[in-house]
Amino acid sequence: MDKMRIKAFIDENGNNALDVTREGTQELFITVAILVPDSQYPHINQQMNDIITQYCGGHLKSNNIRTNHQRRIKILEAIQKIDFGYYAFIVNKKEIFEDSGLSYKRSFYKFIHKKIYEKLGSSCFYLEVYADAIGGPDFMESFEEYFHKKSLPNLFFNFQHQFVKDEDFSLIQLADFIAGTLSYCFEPSRKSEYSSRFRELLCQKEIDINFWPPVKEVSPAITDNSFDGQIYQFVMNKAIQLAEELNSASVSSNSLALLKVLRILIFNKLYEEDRTVTVSQLRQQLQNNEMDVTENIISRDILPSLRDKGIIISGTYKGYRLATSAKQIQSYIQHNKDIILPMLHRLDIARTGVKLATANQLDIIDPVKEKELSRILNLIKIPF
């Protein structure tokens, strides 16, 4: 979002217990921040109140909806008309040592909130946060001291924070609902045939989503010893390495768009069961990040630029994804061949026609200026 006055409404799904083998303990802790411009808050708040009244009677809570997935979908469809965006921070507790400092509730929550506020502060100049109350008064008061020690706010980031009751804020209830819905997308024990529909609707409002700890490289343990395993490891490590390079590079609209698209492709491969993404969906997610690019720029500039940097991206009529197996790469090659070869044959037909009409006096493919193209056209005439 632009550096404007932003209100953020925050809630979570899950608990801080790191022993995920315990019955009823989720592997993921999901925090969602609903972001709205301060100037539009009264209108957006009223819209959300109307939806809650219509579908929930008076209080929206994901745990009350549970596995009534049709009802969840109706609410997801209803919130599409509201002008908001959300940022999600998902902690994979399986990747955290149980004896680490994050095993303590206060450290766990403070760490997560600091991560979120730093992320939001990189894009907002003035951030006013309303977070669902955590623990007792002493616990919440300790946050203020923690933020002060971590220099929040500072000269470049105006920051206000308060804990509130979720029943008093419809957008905190929305944060709870989206966090809970994301758990039905990513939590292994909660995934279902509805998960893809949930993601399709959530992505329309998604500004960004981060898993922590971040994946630095794909371990051989995740793959196998086959050629597919080696390809997967190579492609994913190449993509992750480029994402880190783009993230540390000088900020420009082009590099930010490349980074965002690459991160979407990596995320889909790692966490979304290899979901393909269309150009229109990529454009929507870029627009959610205040990047106004056309579908033509994505297909003619951004995706080719990533391929030029060594990222193998397969594209079909269904959408794009990182090609991480021999079959996916072959599909990518076949798709390109179905486009390129007919184009070359049509060009050869035109070339031959002009040669015949001019008694070979004019070659529209100049063999000197267009040496490579001329050689390719000559080669495709040879049937062996």
Side-chain angles (χ1 to χ4, degrees):
M1 288 198 174
D2 292 335
K3 289 186 178 295
M4 59 174 72
R5 296 173 69 94
I6 298 295
K7 288 184 183 291
F9 302 84
I10 297 177
D11 208 348
E12 308 93 11
N13 182 270
N15 59 51
N16 65 298
L18 298 185
D19 183 4
V20 298
T21 63
R22 288 168 49 187
E23 185 177 354
T25 301
Q26 296 175 202
E27 294 182 11
L28 305 177
F29 184 89
I30 302 172
T31 305
V32 167
I34 303 295
L35 305 177
V36 299
D38 181 75
S39 60
Q40 298 180 29
Y41 171 66
H43 176 63
I44 293 172
N45 182 57
Q46 185 58 56
Q47 286 181 301
M48 193 64 225
N49 279 326
D50 292 342
I51 289 174
I52 291 175
T53 299
Q54 179 180 355
Y55 291 97
C56 307
H59 194 110
L60 173 60
K61 197 166 184 65
S62 180
N63 284 343
N64 292 339
I65 298 171
R66 294 186 182 275
T67 57
N68 188 343
H69 295 321
Q70 293 294 348
R71 184 182 177 200
R72 190 177 293 274
I73 287 173
K74 288 181 180 179
I75 298 173
L76 286 170
E77 291 173 340
I79 64 175
Q80 297 301 313
K81 67 181 180 182
I82 302 178
D83 189 14
F84 76 93
Y86 77 87
Y87 168 67
F89 186 77
I90 302 179
V91 176
N92 183 357
K93 295 187 294 182
K94 288 179 65 177
E95 299 298 322
I96 304 174
F97 293 115
E98 290 185 37
D99 58 353
S100 74
L102 297 181
S103 62
Y104 299 100
K105 183 177 180 179
R106 290 193 180 195
S107 298
F108 184 85
Y109 278 91
K110 289 174 181 176
F111 171 79
I112 290 172
H113 279 250
K114 179 176 181 289
K115 280 287 197 182
I116 292 171
Y117 301 153
E118 286 177 344
K119 173 73 173 183
L120 300 182
S122 66
S123 300
C124 311
F125 176 71
Y126 183 95
L127 182 67
E128 187 176 346
V129 174
Y130 299 85
D132 191 23
I134 306 171
D138 290 343
F139 182 87
M140 289 182 283
E141 286 176 9
S142 69
F143 266 76
E144 300 302 328
E145 181 181 356
Y146 177 76
F147 293 147
H148 179 72
K149 288 181 178 179
K150 296 298 181 182
S151 301
L152 292 174
N154 58 44
L155 180 63
F156 305 103
F157 176 34
N158 288 284
F159 174 81
Q160 292 186 21
H161 178 281
Q162 58 181 303
F163 287 107
V164 295
K165 295 180 179 180
D166 65 338
E167 58 261 32
D168 297 331
F169 291 84
S170 64
L171 294 184
I172 289 183
Q173 296 174 46
L174 177 59
D176 170 274
F177 173 73
I178 290 180
T181 304
L182 285 170
S183 77
Y184 283 100
C185 298
F186 298 116
E187 185 68 40
S189 63
R190 289 187 168 189
K191 287 183 179 180
S192 72
E193 67 272 19
Y194 292 93
S195 297
S196 60
R197 178 57 177 161
F198 294 159
R199 284 300 292 144
E200 180 183 346
L201 291 166
L202 286 171
C203 282
Q204 302 301 310
K205 298 296 182 180
E206 192 169 279
I207 298 173
D208 202 2
I209 184 169
N210 290 142
F211 263 77
W212 190 90
V215 176
K216 294 295 184 181
E217 63 178 12
V218 176
S219 167
I222 298 177
T223 64
D224 54 45
N225 293 322
S226 68
F227 284 124
D228 281 352
Q230 295 174 42
I231 292 171
Y232 181 93
Q233 187 178 347
F234 163 73
V235 173
M236 292 304 296
N237 286 341
K238 179 74 174 178
I240 292 168
Q241 180 184 20
L242 177 59
E244 291 180 345
E245 291 174 1
L246 290 171
N247 191 51
S248 61
S250 57
V251 177
S252 69
S253 58
N254 183 58
S255 63
L256 286 175
L258 285 178
L259 175 60
K260 181 60 181 176
V261 169
L262 181 57
R263 286 186 58 194
I264 291 171
L265 294 173
I266 294 171
F267 189 89
N268 287 355
K269 181 67 69 169
L270 289 175
Y271 305 113
E272 304 242 45
E273 299 180 350
D274 209 13
R275 181 170 65 92
T276 59
V277 58
T278 65
V279 172
S280 62
Q281 290 170 335
L282 286 171
R283 187 190 182 204
Q284 177 65 55
Q285 294 220 250
L286 290 172
Q287 287 181 325
N288 289 347
N289 282 263
E290 306 295 328
M291 300 179 195
D292 189 17
V293 298
T294 65
E295 292 185 11
N296 187 57
I297 289 176
I298 294 172
S299 59
R300 300 287 182 89
D301 183 12
I302 295 176
L303 291 170
S305 293
L306 290 173
R307 285 171 171 151
D308 289 343
K309 295 179 183 296
I311 306 302
I312 306 177
I313 303 171
S314 64
T316 68
Y317 69 93
K318 293 182 179 179
Y320 294 90
R321 63 182 174 187
L322 294 176
T324 53
S325 70
K327 182 178 180 181
Q328 290 178 358
I329 293 177
Q330 288 297 327
S331 176
Y332 164 60
I333 292 172
Q334 185 62 48
H335 176 71
N336 284 341
K337 190 169 75 171
D338 291 343
I339 296 172
I340 296 169
L341 290 183
M343 291 176 65
L344 290 172
H345 281 295
R346 287 191 289 271
L347 186 57
D348 184 59
I349 290 172
R351 181 193 195 189
T352 301
V354 172
K355 279 187 171 184
L356 290 172
T358 62
N360 206 31
Q361 295 300 300
L362 175 61
D363 187 349
I364 58 174
I365 306 298
D366 190 305
V368 176
K369 294 182 179 180
E370 303 290 349
K371 184 177 180 180
E372 291 184 353
L373 183 56
S374 178
R375 182 168 60 87
I376 292 171
L377 289 176
N378 291 333
L379 285 173
I380 65 173
K381 287 179 174 293
I382 305 172
F384 53 84

